[in-house]
Amino acid sequence: MRVLVVGANGQLGSRSCGALLAAGHEVRGTVRSFDRGGSLAAAGVEVVEADLTTAQGWPQALDDVDAVLLTANAVAPRSGDRPAEVAAGCRRLVDDAARAGIRRFVLVSVPETAVDDKVPAIRERRALEQHVIDAGLPHAIVRFPPFMECWLALVGSSLPLRGEPNATIGRPSPFLRQFRRRAGTLVERRGVMLVSGPASHGHAFISVDDVATACASAVDAPEVLNRVVEVGGPEVLTWTDVAEAFGRVLGRKVRILSTPGVVYAALSSVSAPVAEVPAATFGLNRYMASCQTPWAPGGGLVEPAGMVTVGSFLAAKADLPEQLPTVA
């Protein structure tokens, strides 16, 4: 199959390209500008220039493609990005894919919670799921629990960002950079882990490599056609368990500082009129405070025995250089 990966130079997109190539597929990947696609091209990806905020380039990108994997999103926007434009572009892509007769549209999505309608980014993702279904596209909507590379960094640690040249949390966003300066190494420096919601909440945390494997499987697996699939990581851990895992790797006790979802709801509401990106980030923390994902491992798309555990993930990251890659 020839698969178009939308957002190919992102953290998940780049890993998905590798997983698809390893599975024997031809891969075409979209980037906003060709200067971001050098490593993809070197790996064997056909790189095309297309930006979700415009209609330009998409007919060519979709030409002679069998499947589309949409990994791009505006959850952690770069400076100058407008999330509403990206959301509109995702809907336009779905319509274009339907007109092009795409045989499988794979949408990466997130868990359901009671506050979905109150968090703009999550509300938009639910609307996009429905748009895919309504378009009549053969599809697979694949929902994932918290990514280790993202949410284990947002608790206040730089370990998950080591060796990640395309890290979502490392994007050139002023708000994210300010967060990382102030709280990005709290776990390592002070043994304090910032948690949204109760420490007792459990998640089947998953690595981006395992997400990419699931996405590569979803482009042609018959059992997920026209289904919504939940893909859990290899184990369900509470945030208390995660703190203990950090403690074992760092050789120190790590305590949890928990913030209720209502606090993030208030912060999001107050900042929304004047600061879109911080408001969206507070909204996502509100969402996470309400979320639990005690899911079975693999979702039928990944072999559970080979999946990355939180303990092995953190131990591997601790062995990498402390200097973090610069994300373009």
Side-chain angles (χ1 to χ4, degrees), residues 29-174:
T30 69
V31 295
R32 290 186 178 185
S33 59
F34 282 119
D35 59 354
R36 294 181 180 177
S39 61
L40 293 168
V45 176
E46 178 193 354
V47 178
V48 297
E49 196 171 74
D51 187 337
L52 283 169
T53 63
T54 75
Q56 295 178 355
W58 291 105
Q60 295 88 342
L62 288 163
D63 183 51
D64 198 26
V65 163
D66 299 300
V68 173
L69 169 59
L70 176 55
T71 68
N73 62 71
V75 168
R78 290 175 168 84
S79 180
D81 282 356
R82 301 287 298 177
E85 292 179 356
V86 175
C90 288
R91 293 191 295 272
R92 185 171 56 244
L93 172 65
V94 171
D95 296 336
D96 290 344
R99 283 190 291 270
I102 296 301
R103 290 162 47 194
R104 180 77 61 95
F105 192 100
V106 179
L107 175 64
V108 175
S109 196
V110 294
E112 287 186 305
T113 75
V115 301
D116 285 5
D117 286 344
K118 299 178 176 65
V119 179
I122 306 304
R123 183 171 64 242
E124 181 57 47
R125 186 57 39 160
R126 292 286 169 259
L128 184 59
E129 289 182 353
Q130 191 59 49
H131 194 70
V132 170
I133 295 169
D134 292 344
L137 273 168
H139 63 269
I141 295 170
V142 192
R143 294 176 179 166
F144 293 100
F147 292 7
M148 296 178 193
E149 287 83 350
C150 295
W151 285 99
L152 299 191
L154 288 170
V155 299
S157 175
S158 64
L159 281 183
L161 302 179
R162 294 183 184 182
E164 295 287 338
N166 302 304
T168 301
I169 306 304
R171 289 177 180 173
S173 158

Side-chain angles (χ1 to χ4, degrees), residues 38 42 118 120 175 211 227 281:
K118 299 178 176 65
F175 182 74
V211 174
R227 288 184 53 206
T281 305

